[in-house]
Structure formats: C-alpha cells, structure tokens
Amino acid sequence: MTYPLTTIILAAGKGTRMPSKNPKALQTVLGEAMLSHVYTVAKSISNEVYTVVGYKADMVKEHLLKNHGEEALQRTIFQEEQLGTGHAVQCAMKKIKEINSQENQKILILNADVPLISKELLIDFIKKSENLPLSFISLYLPDAKSYGRVVRKEFLSKAKHTPCTKHEENKGEVEKIIEAKDFNVLYPQSEIFEVNSGIYLVDAQLLYEFLPLLSSQNANHEYYITDIIGLAKERNISLEAFCFENAEALLGVNNPLELNEAEKTLQKAINTKLMANGVVLHNQESIFISPFAEISAGVEIYGPCEIYGNSKIAQYTSIESHCYIKNTQIGESCIVKSFCHFEDAIVGNNAKLGPYARLRPQAELADNVHLGNFVEIKKSKIGNASKVNHLSYIGDSLVGSGVNVGAGCITCNYDGKNKFQTIIEDNAFLGSNCAFVAPVTIGKNSLVAAGSTITKDIPENRLAIARERQVNLNKKNKG
Ligand code: UD1
Ligand code: CA
C-alpha cells in the first residue's frame, strides 16, 4: 500500500569521506547501490519518489533508469552545486512546486546514505506523525560521531553543560538540531546521545515557508535541512522527534568502515531470516545475499558465496563455495559446484554445473543440463539434457536437446565486426576440439569428428569430418 506522500531522496553528495570513482549513493551494500535500497523502500510506501542528484549525476541517473525504470529517471532533480542538505531540499521543492501544486502534500525526506531503512519502520513513523506538521526520526547512539544532536529543553535550560550530559539530561520538548561540528564548538565539554537520523516528514507548506530562511552561517558553511526544526520551534509549530529503538536500521554510511558495518548488519538479518525459513547456510558469515534475491526453503549454500540482484534459487538446489551469482534464476534440485560465475542467466531444474562454469547474460539452460569446468555460455539456449562438459565456449547459439558437446568445442561467433548464430540440433554429437564458424547449422543426430573446423551446414544424420586425414610416414634415417 502506498501513502499519498511525496518522497525526496537526497543523493547528490560526493562522499568525501569515502573516495571512489562512484558517487556515494552508488556504493553497494550486498551488491545493491545504497540508493537502490532506499529507492525500493520509498517506492513501496509513497506514490511519488524524487531523487536529488548532483555529483556524477549522469552515473546516478543511468543507475536509476537501469534499475528502477523511466519514472525514476524522470523524477530526478539536479543540484548543480552541493551546498548542503537544505539546499538539496530547496532544489527539490522548486521542481515539485512546478509539477505538483497540491498544497496539502506531505513530504518524506530520506538520505541515500541510510541504506538499511525498512518499510515497516517508515510506516510506523508515518502513522505516529499523522497529526503533526513536522516530525523526524531520532536514535540513541553510544558514540554520536558526526550525527546532528537532538537538543531538548532540559539540556538547553542548564546553565553549565559540564560534565558530559547523560541520556536523562536531554529531556523535554525538542528545541532544535545542532550539527556535530557546531555542537562541539558550542558545548565543547558536553555530549548528547540522541541524534538525528536524517528522516523527516513535513508538510509541503512548511517547507515552502522555511526553506528560504535557511542560512549557511555554520561550521560547514552549508545550508542544513536540520535548521527547519529550530525555525519551526521558534514559531510554535508542533513537532516531534520519534526515537526508534532499532538504531541499526537508521545508521548513516559515510566511510568504508560504516559501509562494512551496514553490510554486516544486513547480511546477518537476511541470513537469519533465510535460515529461519529453511535455507541451510554453511559458513554463513561468508555468505552474502541481496535482499532482492529469493532463496527457497530446502536450498543449501556453502560459503564463501555471493548471490546478488534479483536472483532466484528454487528448492533442493545446492550451491557450493566460491560461487558468484547475479540476477540469475536457478531451478529445483540443481547442483552448482564451486567457483561458478553466473550473471543474468536462467537455469532449469536438475542441472549439474561446474566447477568453474560461467554463464553470461542471456544464457538459458533447460532442465537436466550438465556444464563442466571452464565452460562459458553467452546469449545461448541449451536444450534439455544436453551436456557441455569441458573447456568450451558456446556463444549466440541454439543448442537442442540431448546434444553432447565434446571437450574444447568453440563456436566462432564473431568476425571482428558482427556476431553470428550457431544452431546445433537435437541429439547431435560434437567430437572434441571442434570449431564451428558461424553462421552454421549442425543437423539432428549428426556426428562431427574430433578436431573439425565446420564452416558449412551439416544436414541431419551425417558424419562430418573437416580436417586433414592423418598420414603416418616413414621416418627418414639420420645420416
Ligand atoms: C546528515 C544530517 C545529520 C544527521 C545525518 C544522519 C544535515 C545537515 N545533517 O548529516 O543531522 O545526523 O545526516 O545520517 O542534514 N546531500 C545532497 N546535497 C548536498 C549535501 C548532501 O544531496 O548538498 C545528500 C548526501 O548525498 C547524503 C545526504 O544528503 O545522501 C546526507 O548528507 P551528508 O553529507 O552525508 O550528511 P551528514 O553529515 O551525514
Ligand atoms: Ca551521511
């Protein structure tokens, strides 16, 4: 169910504390960009999701289009200079006003770098905030780090703020949020452990009123969205910080250590849930599974292993260690031996694959297929019960059922400019070390002699030999 909400995801930042060729929003947690985690949750609860992009905007836009579709791309907002989270929201609201002039809109603001945020938590927050024009989520942290401090009445009313403030001393109504650097200047001997998660729910009207009032007179010389809390309070607008127990889901990711923590947290949650649902995980600490993957009860996985994207693995299939599987469907009762690498592929039931098999995009295997070591399949269909057991490359091909591909067979699909198709019909038997120069068709039940280079079509039921006949000559005697 979606709410009549407009969500803004702030994703324009560079991520200075995590240098990379990728903008921070595209750093991955369990194989998925942080932005994708947040976007997916946002989309599941709100009818309109806007993403503010800035640093390497083209990369982020391309990612949104590829992973979340045209609408996600259309609803990006460009923040040319990253002047702070307040400025990012200013850019967003300007565009939202142009497109959508509804006055009574509620705006949910999320950060792309809080990737573990869940649908349930946000729904809870939205319900709690029902009659409030402004609210946000806070959390308690034993180390408040660079988070904005939530400053309540009792803290402010104290003349002296030394020694360190305990939890109990930050009570009463929320007065404002003070960003870490500014807090440390204002209250050098003090500390507050209730911090801002960066998630706000606010009436559009209020934003239109307060956004022009933001100033950049602070330690970072940035426009902070957090200042709207103090501005609202000064104007007696009722507001609330809802402090959520589940702090782990609210942690921000600003550096590689925090990225690792987020990944470990999510990994533990996903693996625990899978095991509770009947998936057997051996060495589970080294198994990484995307939250978008579907693993059925009765599947057995041995770590280390990575299963990413919207992969699906059906019951009674076992995946041995050291496999990398992305956006791939695998049917029931398959055995995937160690060191396989699959991407954007489909596998039927009862397959035996690997060790060291590679499925590239658009590889489609029917039921009962066997692939052995060092076999690569690209953009090809392999029919029922066909076998490609050793050292082969099958690209741009249609392989029928009951076909046996001998060791070292290669489809020569590329002439340097164009790709061509190889068709191998049912029950063909290809001897070892053959080359098939595409486009070429191997007829049903035909046999190809080992070492052949096939350049012409082979009709059904033939034996094709395309190599020099062996001659055994007399050796010349020396001297
Ligand atoms: C922010 C909050 C802080 C809160 C913390 C929670 C502010 C000023 N501070 O701090 O109170 O405790 O999140 O994680 O909001 N971004 C833009 N445009 C910009 C600047 C940032 O889109 O000009 C985006 C970033 O890409 C990021 C998000 O806004 O996704 C937050 O920015 P970041 O710089 O990480 O803020 P924090 O210092 O973590
Ligand atoms: Ca952050």
Side-chain angles (χ1 to χ4, degrees), residues 107-136:
I107 309 285
L108 175 68
I109 301 173
L110 302 175
N111 288 344
D113 67 351
V114 182
L116 303 195
I117 183 70
S118 72
K119 180 181 172 178
E120 294 71 29
L121 193 149
L122 285 180
I123 289 176
D124 195 8
F125 170 55
I126 293 165
K127 283 187 179 151
K128 284 189 164 101
S129 307
E130 206 170 2
N131 297 316
L132 286 164
L134 173 58
S135 59
F136 65 99

Side-chain angles (χ1 to χ4, degrees), residues 254-324:
N254 300 298
N255 58 45
L257 266 176
E258 289 173 349
L259 186 75
N260 178 258
E261 276 166 29
E263 191 154 57
K264 289 275 170 209
T265 303
L266 188 60
Q267 179 205 27
K268 199 171 166 205
I270 289 173
N271 289 1
T272 303
K273 195 169 161 190
L274 287 172
M275 289 188 282
N277 289 343
V279 177
V280 177
L281 301 180
H282 301 276
N283 187 12
Q284 70 92 13
E285 292 81 2
S286 67
I287 298 176
F288 299 91
I289 299 176
S290 162
F292 305 149
E294 283 175 36
I295 318 288
S296 300
V299 167
E300 193 158 1
I301 302 171
Y302 295 76
C305 190
E306 291 164 273
I307 301 176
Y308 293 142
N310 53 11
S311 295
K312 280 189 188 157
I313 302 182
Q315 62 179 347
Y316 309 133
T317 283
S318 74
I319 314 279
E320 291 182 2
S321 66
H322 301 276
C323 289
Y324 178 95

Side-chain angles (χ1 to χ4, degrees), residues 10-13 17 24 79 82-85 88 111-114 147-148 179 196-198 200 224-226 252 254:
L10 308 184
R17 292 162 275 182
K24 184 165 70 166
Q79 185 193 14
Q82 289 83 62
L83 303 178
T85 49
N111 288 344
D113 67 351
V114 182
Y147 288 79
E179 285 307 300
N196 169 30
S197 72
Y200 321 83
Y224 295 155
I225 190 60
T226 45
N254 300 298

